[in-house]
Amino acid sequence: MINHSERQLPPHWSRGWAHCAFTPQEPIVFGQGEIILLAEKEPTLLKLGKSLLENLKYHTLTANSKAEVLEQCRTNQIDAIVFDVELEPPSGDVQGFLSELRQLRPSLKILLSTAHDVSLGLSTCPPTHGLPVLTKPFTVRSFSQAISQCLENG
């Protein structure tokens, strides 16, 4: 039986949804034409993410499979990748795939995305391997800041 009183929720939940959507302290950060590869399994999220990145002034490439990610990395100069860790079924080894990406492009900047809240440390959360993680759903502001920080810090 689950004891709901001991469950930990992300800190921002206690401030309510209005805080997530309307907190003015951090600005939306725009790109300067950097090339971002968006790797997402859901076609609707891929289309929406591409549109969002383009509105944030990034040049955007897309991939909906690990094979497409590798092909894009082989054929295009990419500044960063936003990679959905659940891109393909759990049979995929995220660490192995990230290692393959690093061999192909050692300086590639990677931002992981997931629908799991990794801050809760649940067993269903994918391993992040020390990389920055963007938890879905996210705001335009948090997405823009995460991309900017990824490009800045690697």
Side-chain angles (χ1 to χ4, degrees):
M1 183 175 206
I2 298 173
N3 182 348
H4 294 285
S5 65
E6 293 181 15
R7 192 181 318 177
Q8 292 181 331
L9 297 175
H12 65 274
W13 284 19
S14 65
R15 295 187 297 258
W17 291 109
H19 172 80
C20 296
F22 304 110
T23 303
Q25 66 240 46
E26 297 292 332
I28 291 175
V29 182
F30 291 88
Q32 297 176 0
E34 296 93 342
I35 301 170
I36 307 295
L37 173 57
L38 176 62
E40 170 61 57
K41 67 179 177 181
E42 297 294 332
T44 303
L45 293 178
L46 189 64
K47 186 176 177 180
L48 181 63
K50 181 178 183 354
S51 176
L52 178 56
L53 284 165
E54 288 172 348
N55 284 320
L56 291 170
K57 310 297 183 206
Y58 294 104
H59 179 72
T60 308
L61 305 171
T62 60
N64 65 4
S65 70
K66 290 179 181 176
E68 280 187 43
V69 169
L70 292 173
E71 182 60 28
Q72 291 279 20
C73 287
R74 284 187 193 99
T75 59
N76 296 294
Q77 180 59 43
I78 297 167
D79 295 304
I81 180 172
V82 179
F83 179 74
D84 177 10
V85 295
E86 292 105 12
L87 189 60
E88 292 182 5
S91 61
D93 169 26
V94 174
Q95 180 60 42
F97 184 71
L98 293 174
S99 294
E100 194 172 350
L101 278 177
R102 289 283 189 222
Q103 288 176 351
L104 191 59
R105 292 282 174 98
S107 62
L108 183 64
K109 297 173 179 171
I110 301 171
L111 173 62
L112 301 177
S113 68
T114 180
H116 299 279
D117 189 339
V118 295
S119 68
L120 294 178
L122 302 175
S123 61
T124 57
C125 295
T128 61
H129 311 290
L131 293 170
V133 179
L134 181 64
T135 303
K136 302 175 209 171
F138 46 78
T139 65
V140 173
R141 179 175 287 112
S142 64
F143 187 52
S144 75
Q145 291 169 356
I147 297 284
S148 176
Q149 288 171 359
C150 179
L151 287 167
E152 203 172 288
N153 303 325

